[in-house]
Amino acid sequence: MNRFTINSFTKNIISIAVSCAVLAPSLAQADGEVNVYSARKEALIKPLLDKFEAQSGVTVNLITGKADALLQRLKIEGKASPADMFITVDAGRLQRAKEAGVLQAIQSERLNNAIPENLRDADNLWFGLSQRARTIFFAKDKVKPSQLSTYEALAEPQWKGKICLRSSNNIYNQSLVASMIDNIGNEATLDWATKLVKNAAKPPSGGDTDQIKAVAAGVCEVTLANTYYFGRIMNSDKASDKKLIEKVALFWPNQQDRGVHMNVSGAGITKHARHKENAIKLLEFMTSPESQAWYASVNSEFPVLKQAETSPSLESWGSFKADSIALNKLGENNRAAVELMDKAGWK
Ligand code: FE
């Protein structure tokens, strides 16, 4: 039995069996409510949901969990699912939800106007809500920015023993590889990944923050990580983080060609949503200028809404060219990416 926290307006906490055949009739089914399954950590979504509740009067019931577990749960629950919305943090996973048939198409002019076309599903089944760049981080005392250029160039022999990598089972790297398959083809990507892995300072391990810390600690000189992890360290009050940030800088690769690999956190409305109208309202709220500015200030993510305010940390990174690949492709190429990384010896 797993426990999920359900944060309703009344702050109820109830426990639910994950083996869900008898799922939660106690979850909201009346009007004026919306039920959210979120793979996004509570601290990074609940404040926004609270604001929506206050503004709209619609009660939001939040269940958080791991993306694949929530997706599995949606599949098993089928028509009986209380969920109205599924939130997760990678285009690859949003596409998995689409392919699993647990989402429905939403026609909303507001969403279409707010979210650039490449950051939402071509069939309107999911919508990107915040962007993150997966970019290069380097040790300031060992690497000059002039030595860096592209993701591809990290496979060159000069980086032998100098790169830290997260493991291949992490979806962020899978999505980066998926984007490269689309951009430079299978063969060139396999060749790149094989050489990249050979340049590693140590076997892949740890999360994105661990990679940045390893660069600061001198374990390696360069790595790949999502920008908001760096933003969190930048905005931390800890003395150790302040030291760390003095040692590491970010670099925007591929500025002469396709641009930096981008990903999104996003959401879709479930196929059997009982509170579809409220779920659409919530999705639209998440793309409002206020919500979009919140993503930037609270988690150093790039708004999907062009007019939205950003934050001092985002501004400090400067402007850059982002890869405009349709993010559907990250999911469509996911299986090929996983197979390719396996062939390349990327553990
Ligand atoms: Fe993350």
Side-chain angles (χ1 to χ4, degrees):
M1 168 107 70
N2 260 356
R3 279 178 157 258
F4 289 92
T5 306
I6 302 188
N7 299 293
S8 71
F9 197 51
T10 49
K11 306 283 186 284
N12 286 332
I13 295 177
I14 56 174
S15 71
I16 311 170
V18 162
S19 59
C20 49
V22 251
L23 214 244
S26 56
L27 263 183
Q29 298 197 355
D31 287 345
E33 295 183 290
V34 63
N35 297 326
V36 176
Y37 282 9
S38 174
R40 180 131 241 214
K41 282 197 196 104
E42 188 176 321
L44 296 178
I45 194 70
K46 189 166 180 301
L48 206 53
L49 302 180
D50 287 346
K51 273 188 197 165
F52 173 72
E53 277 188 341
Q55 279 185 21
S56 67
V58 173
T59 299
V60 183
N61 300 305
L62 172 65
I63 294 183
T64 58
K66 295 267 183 217
D68 289 334
L70 288 175
L71 185 53
Q72 187 60 19
R73 184 171 165 170
L74 276 171
K75 280 199 265 185
I76 295 169
E77 287 171 352
K79 273 186 188 167
S81 179
D84 300 302
M85 186 188 283
F86 176 60
I87 298 175
T88 188
V89 290
D90 182 282
R93 282 221 171 81
L94 290 164
Q95 190 70 14
R96 271 182 210 171
K98 174 183 178 175
E99 284 164 14
V102 299
L103 302 177
Q104 63 171 296
I106 295 301
Q107 305 303 333
S108 159
E109 217 169 294
R110 276 184 68 180
L111 291 176
N112 291 349
N113 288 336
I115 308 168
E117 209 174 338
N118 66 308
L119 304 180
R120 51 184 156 88
D121 176 48
D123 302 316
N124 296 312
L125 276 93
W126 56 259
F127 299 86
L129 296 171
S130 64
Q131 298 186 78
R132 50 280 299 278
R134 191 159 190 78
T135 197
I136 297 175
F137 292 86
F138 65 95
K140 285 199 241 176
D141 61 342
K142 297 193 187 99
V143 178
K144 291 192 199 85
S146 60
Q147 291 173 267
L148 296 164
S149 57
T150 60
Y151 297 104
E152 288 89 324
L154 295 179
E156 287 169 5
Q158 62 160 313
W159 299 109
K160 182 105 190 134
K162 295 179 178 172
I163 296 180
C164 279
L165 289 174
R166 198 169 173 170
S167 79
S168 62
N169 65 18
N170 169 250
I171 192 131
Y172 299 148
N173 280 338
Q174 292 171 9
S175 288
L176 171 65
V177 171
S179 79
M180 290 184 70
I181 290 174
D182 187 72
N183 275 300
I184 63 174
N186 232 305
E187 220 170 288
T189 307
L190 176 59
D191 182 57
W192 169 78
T194 307
K195 290 174 178 162
L196 181 76
V197 167
K198 288 200 177 120
N199 280 346
K202 61 179 182 60
S205 68
D208 278 20
T209 304
D210 297 315
Q211 311 308 317
I212 298 171
K213 283 183 175 168
V215 169
V219 175
C220 44
E221 297 183 6
V222 289
T223 193
L224 297 167
N226 286 354
T227 38
Y228 56 90
Y229 291 104
F230 193 61
R232 281 181 203 165
I233 301 169
M234 278 177 82
N235 295 324
S236 161
D237 293 329
K238 278 196 215 158
S240 57
D241 286 336
K242 292 197 185 305
K243 267 193 188 162
L244 195 158
I245 224 68
E246 285 168 17
K247 294 181 179 163
V248 182
L250 64 67
F251 179 85
W252 302 125
N254 298 75
Q255 294 303 283
Q256 307 307 320
D257 49 69
R258 65 184 179 272
V260 181
H261 169 61
M262 304 297 287
N263 208 326
V264 287
S265 81
I269 294 181
T270 61
K271 190 169 187 177
H272 303 291
R274 292 188 183 86
H275 310 95
K276 184 176 165 182
E277 294 312 312
N278 288 341
I280 293 173
K281 263 191 226 164
L282 175 54
L283 252 186
E284 290 177 345
F285 170 82
M286 288 164 133
T287 61
S288 67
E290 186 194 0
S291 302
Q292 288 290 302
W294 182 87
Y295 279 115
S297 67
V298 172
N299 197 34
S300 301
E301 288 179 86
F302 299 97
V304 294
L305 183 74
K306 280 210 170 71
Q307 316 80 287
E309 263 179 61
T310 62
S311 70
S313 33
L314 294 188
E315 295 294 331
S316 75
W317 300 339
S319 60
F320 63 95
K321 181 182 178 186
D323 187 352
S324 59
I325 180 178
L327 295 190
N328 275 89
K329 300 231 174 91
L330 304 187
E332 287 164 13
N333 287 347
N334 180 266
R335 186 171 299 223
V338 171
E339 284 172 15
L340 185 151
M341 291 164 97
D342 192 45
K343 260 192 209 164
W346 192 330
K347 298 281 183 240

Coordinates of all heavy atoms in Angstrom, one line a residue, residues 35-83:
N35 N -9.6 17.2 -10.0 CA -8.6 16.3 -9.4 C -7.4 16.1 -10.2 O -7.5 15.9 -11.4 CB -9.3 14.9 -9.2 CG -10.5 14.9 -8.3 OD1 -10.4 15.6 -7.3 ND2 -11.5 14.1 -8.6
V36 N -6.2 16.3 -9.6 CA -5.0 16.4 -10.3 C -4.0 15.3 -9.9 O -3.8 15.1 -8.7 CB -4.3 17.8 -10.1 CG1 -2.9 17.8 -10.8 CG2 -5.2 18.9 -10.6
Y37 N -3.5 14.5 -10.9 CA -2.4 13.6 -10.6 C -1.2 14.3 -11.1 O -1.1 14.7 -12.3 CB -2.6 12.3 -11.4 CG -3.6 11.3 -10.9 CD1 -4.4 11.6 -9.8 CD2 -3.6 10.0 -11.4 CE1 -5.3 10.7 -9.4 CE2 -4.5 9.1 -11.0 CZ -5.4 9.4 -9.9 OH -6.3 8.5 -9.5
S38 N -0.2 14.5 -10.2 CA 1.0 15.3 -10.5 C 2.3 14.5 -10.2 O 2.5 14.1 -9.1 CB 1.0 16.6 -9.8 OG 2.2 17.3 -10.1
A39 N 3.1 14.4 -11.3 CA 4.5 13.9 -11.1 C 5.4 15.0 -10.7 O 6.6 14.8 -10.5 CB 4.9 13.2 -12.3
R40 N 4.9 16.2 -10.7 CA 5.7 17.4 -10.2 C 5.6 17.4 -8.7 O 4.6 17.2 -8.1 CB 5.0 18.6 -10.8 CG 5.5 19.9 -10.6 CD 5.7 20.7 -11.8 NE 7.1 20.9 -11.8 CZ 7.7 21.9 -12.3 NH1 7.0 22.9 -12.9 NH2 9.0 22.1 -12.3
K41 N 6.7 17.6 -8.1 CA 6.8 17.7 -6.6 C 5.8 18.7 -6.1 O 5.6 19.8 -6.6 CB 8.2 18.0 -6.1 CG 9.1 16.9 -6.2 CD 10.3 17.1 -5.3 CE 11.4 16.2 -5.7 NZ 12.5 16.8 -6.5
E42 N 5.2 18.4 -4.9 CA 4.2 19.2 -4.3 C 4.6 20.7 -4.2 O 3.8 21.6 -4.5 CB 3.8 18.6 -3.0 CG 2.6 19.3 -2.4 CD 2.2 18.6 -1.1 OE1 2.2 17.4 -0.9 OE2 1.8 19.4 -0.2
A43 N 5.8 20.9 -3.7 CA 6.2 22.3 -3.5 C 6.3 23.1 -4.8 O 6.2 24.3 -4.8 CB 7.6 22.2 -2.8
L44 N 6.4 22.4 -5.9 CA 6.5 23.1 -7.2 C 5.2 23.1 -8.0 O 5.2 23.5 -9.1 CB 7.6 22.4 -8.1 CG 9.0 22.5 -7.5 CD1 10.0 21.7 -8.3 CD2 9.5 23.9 -7.3
I45 N 4.1 22.8 -7.3 CA 2.9 22.9 -8.0 C 1.7 23.4 -7.1 O 0.9 24.2 -7.5 CB 2.5 21.5 -8.7 CG1 1.3 21.7 -9.7 CG2 2.1 20.5 -7.7 CD1 1.6 22.5 -10.9
K46 N 1.8 23.0 -5.8 CA 0.7 23.3 -4.9 C 0.5 24.8 -4.7 O -0.7 25.3 -4.7 CB 0.9 22.6 -3.6 CG -0.3 22.8 -2.7 CD -0.3 21.9 -1.5 CE -1.5 22.1 -0.7 NZ -1.7 23.4 -0.2
P47 N 1.5 25.7 -4.6 CA 1.2 27.1 -4.5 C 0.4 27.7 -5.6 O -0.4 28.5 -5.4 CB 2.6 27.7 -4.4 CG 3.5 26.6 -3.9 CD 2.9 25.3 -4.5
L48 N 0.7 27.1 -6.8 CA 0.0 27.6 -8.0 C -1.5 27.1 -7.9 O -2.4 27.9 -8.3 CB 0.7 27.0 -9.2 CG 0.5 27.7 -10.6 CD1 0.9 29.2 -10.4 CD2 1.4 27.0 -11.6
L49 N -1.7 25.9 -7.5 CA -3.0 25.3 -7.4 C -3.8 26.1 -6.3 O -5.0 26.3 -6.4 CB -3.0 23.8 -7.0 CG -2.2 23.0 -8.1 CD1 -2.2 21.5 -7.6 CD2 -2.8 23.1 -9.5
D50 N -3.1 26.5 -5.2 CA -3.8 27.2 -4.2 C -4.3 28.6 -4.7 O -5.4 29.0 -4.4 CB -2.8 27.5 -3.0 CG -2.6 26.2 -2.2 OD1 -3.4 25.3 -2.3 OD2 -1.6 26.2 -1.4
K51 N -3.5 29.2 -5.6 CA -3.8 30.5 -6.2 C -5.1 30.3 -7.0 O -6.0 31.1 -7.0 CB -2.7 31.0 -7.0 CG -1.7 31.9 -6.3 CD -0.7 32.5 -7.2 CE 0.5 33.0 -6.4 NZ 1.6 33.3 -7.3
F52 N -5.1 29.2 -7.8 CA -6.2 28.9 -8.7 C -7.5 28.8 -7.8 O -8.5 29.3 -8.2 CB -5.9 27.7 -9.5 CG -7.1 27.2 -10.3 CD1 -7.6 27.9 -11.4 CD2 -7.8 26.1 -10.0 CE1 -8.7 27.5 -12.2 CE2 -8.9 25.6 -10.7 CZ -9.3 26.4 -11.8
E53 N -7.4 28.0 -6.7 CA -8.5 27.8 -5.8 C -9.1 29.1 -5.3 O -10.3 29.4 -5.4 CB -8.1 27.0 -4.6 CG -8.1 25.5 -4.8 CD -7.8 24.7 -3.5 OE1 -7.3 25.3 -2.6 OE2 -8.2 23.5 -3.5
A54 N -8.1 30.0 -4.9 CA -8.5 31.3 -4.3 C -9.2 32.2 -5.4 O -10.2 32.8 -5.1 CB -7.3 32.0 -3.8
Q55 N -8.7 32.1 -6.6 CA -9.3 33.0 -7.7 C -10.6 32.4 -8.3 O -11.5 33.2 -8.6 CB -8.3 33.1 -8.8 CG -7.2 34.1 -8.5 CD -6.3 34.4 -9.7 OE1 -6.6 34.0 -10.9 NE2 -5.1 34.9 -9.5
S56 N -10.7 31.1 -8.4 CA -11.8 30.5 -9.1 C -12.9 29.9 -8.2 O -14.0 29.7 -8.7 CB -11.3 29.3 -10.0 OG -10.8 28.3 -9.2
G57 N -12.5 29.6 -7.0 CA -13.5 29.0 -6.1 C -13.6 27.5 -6.4 O -14.3 26.8 -5.7
V58 N -12.8 27.0 -7.3 CA -12.8 25.5 -7.6 C -11.8 24.8 -6.7 O -10.6 25.3 -6.6 CB -12.4 25.3 -9.1 CG1 -12.2 23.8 -9.4 CG2 -13.4 25.9 -10.0
T59 N -12.2 23.8 -6.0 CA -11.3 23.1 -5.1 C -10.4 22.1 -5.9 O -10.9 21.4 -6.8 CB -12.1 22.2 -4.1 OG1 -12.9 23.1 -3.3 CG2 -11.2 21.5 -3.2
V60 N -9.1 22.2 -5.6 CA -8.2 21.3 -6.3 C -7.8 20.2 -5.4 O -7.3 20.5 -4.3 CB -7.0 22.1 -6.8 CG1 -6.0 21.1 -7.6 CG2 -7.4 23.3 -7.6
N61 N -7.9 18.9 -5.8 CA -7.4 17.8 -5.0 C -6.2 17.3 -5.7 O -6.2 16.9 -6.9 CB -8.5 16.7 -4.9 CG -9.8 17.2 -4.3 OD1 -9.7 17.7 -3.2 ND2 -10.9 17.1 -5.0
L62 N -5.1 17.3 -5.0 CA -3.8 16.9 -5.6 C -3.3 15.6 -5.1 O -3.2 15.4 -3.9 CB -2.8 18.0 -5.3 CG -1.3 17.8 -5.7 CD1 -1.2 17.7 -7.2 CD2 -0.4 18.9 -5.1
I63 N -2.9 14.8 -6.0 CA -2.2 13.5 -5.7 C -0.9 13.6 -6.4 O -0.8 13.7 -7.6 CB -3.0 12.3 -6.2 CG1 -4.3 12.2 -5.4 CG2 -2.2 11.0 -6.0 CD1 -5.2 11.0 -5.7
T64 N 0.2 13.4 -5.6 CA 1.5 13.4 -6.3 C 2.1 12.1 -6.2 O 1.8 11.3 -5.3 CB 2.5 14.4 -5.6 OG1 2.6 14.1 -4.2 CG2 2.0 15.9 -5.7
G65 N 3.0 11.7 -7.2 CA 3.6 10.4 -7.2 C 4.6 10.4 -8.3 O 4.8 11.4 -9.0
K66 N 5.3 9.3 -8.6 CA 6.2 9.2 -9.7 C 5.5 9.1 -11.0 O 4.4 8.5 -11.0 CB 7.1 7.9 -9.5 CG 8.0 7.9 -8.3 CD 9.3 8.4 -8.6 CE 10.2 8.4 -7.4 NZ 11.2 9.6 -7.3
A67 N 6.0 9.7 -12.0 CA 5.3 9.8 -13.3 C 4.8 8.4 -13.8 O 3.7 8.3 -14.2 CB 6.2 10.4 -14.3
D68 N 5.7 7.5 -13.8 CA 5.3 6.2 -14.4 C 4.3 5.5 -13.6 O 3.4 4.8 -14.1 CB 6.6 5.3 -14.7 CG 7.4 5.8 -15.8 OD1 6.9 6.5 -16.7 OD2 8.7 5.6 -15.8
A69 N 4.4 5.6 -12.3 CA 3.4 5.0 -11.4 C 2.0 5.7 -11.5 O 1.0 5.0 -11.6 CB 3.9 5.1 -9.9
L70 N 2.0 7.0 -11.7 CA 0.7 7.7 -11.9 C 0.1 7.3 -13.2 O -1.1 7.1 -13.4 CB 0.9 9.2 -11.8 CG 1.2 9.7 -10.4 CD1 1.5 11.2 -10.5 CD2 0.0 9.5 -9.5
L71 N 1.0 7.2 -14.2 CA 0.5 6.8 -15.6 C -0.1 5.4 -15.6 O -1.2 5.1 -16.1 CB 1.7 6.9 -16.6 CG 1.4 6.7 -18.0 CD1 0.2 7.6 -18.5 CD2 2.6 7.0 -18.9
Q72 N 0.6 4.5 -14.9 CA 0.1 3.1 -14.7 C -1.2 3.1 -14.0 O -2.1 2.4 -14.4 CB 1.2 2.3 -13.9 CG 1.0 0.9 -13.8 CD 0.9 0.2 -15.2 OE1 1.4 0.7 -16.2 NE2 0.3 -1.0 -15.2
R73 N -1.3 3.9 -13.0 CA -2.5 4.0 -12.2 C -3.7 4.5 -13.1 O -4.8 4.0 -13.0 CB -2.3 5.0 -11.1 CG -3.4 5.1 -10.1 CD -3.0 5.9 -8.9 NE -4.2 6.3 -8.2 CZ -4.1 6.8 -7.0 NH1 -3.0 7.0 -6.4 NH2 -5.2 7.2 -6.4
L74 N -3.4 5.5 -13.9 CA -4.4 6.0 -14.8 C -4.9 5.0 -15.8 O -6.1 4.8 -16.0 CB -3.9 7.2 -15.7 CG -3.9 8.6 -15.0 CD1 -3.1 9.6 -15.9 CD2 -5.3 9.1 -14.9
K75 N -4.0 4.2 -16.2 CA -4.3 3.1 -17.2 C -5.2 2.0 -16.5 O -6.2 1.6 -17.1 CB -3.0 2.4 -17.7 CG -2.4 3.2 -18.8 CD -1.4 2.3 -19.6 CE 0.0 2.4 -19.1 NZ 1.0 1.7 -19.9
I76 N -4.8 1.7 -15.3 CA -5.5 0.6 -14.6 C -6.9 1.1 -14.2 O -7.9 0.4 -14.3 CB -4.8 0.1 -13.3 CG1 -3.5 -0.5 -13.8 CG2 -5.6 -0.8 -12.5 CD1 -2.5 -0.8 -12.6
E77 N -7.0 2.3 -13.7 CA -8.3 2.9 -13.3 C -9.3 3.0 -14.4 O -10.5 2.9 -14.3 CB -8.0 4.3 -12.6 CG -7.4 4.2 -11.3 CD -7.0 5.5 -10.7 OE1 -7.1 6.5 -11.4 OE2 -6.6 5.6 -9.5
G78 N -8.7 3.4 -15.6 CA -9.6 3.5 -16.8 C -10.7 4.5 -16.5 O -10.5 5.6 -16.0
K79 N -11.9 4.1 -16.9 CA -13.1 5.0 -16.8 C -13.4 5.4 -15.3 O -14.0 6.4 -15.0 CB -14.4 4.3 -17.3 CG -14.6 4.4 -18.8 CD -15.9 3.8 -19.2 CE -16.0 3.8 -20.7 NZ -17.1 3.0 -21.2
A80 N -12.9 4.5 -14.4 CA -13.2 4.8 -13.0 C -12.3 5.8 -12.4 O -12.4 6.2 -11.2 CB -13.1 3.5 -12.2
S81 N -11.3 6.3 -13.1 CA -10.3 7.2 -12.6 C -10.9 8.5 -12.1 O -11.7 9.1 -12.9 CB -9.2 7.5 -13.6 OG -8.3 8.4 -13.0
P82 N -10.6 8.9 -10.9 CA -11.1 10.2 -10.5 C -10.3 11.4 -11.1 O -10.7 12.5 -11.0 CB -10.9 10.2 -9.0 CG -9.8 9.3 -8.8 CD -9.8 8.2 -9.9
A83 N -9.2 11.1 -11.7 CA -8.3 12.1 -12.2 C -8.8 12.9 -13.3 O -9.4 12.3 -14.3 CB -6.9 11.5 -12.6

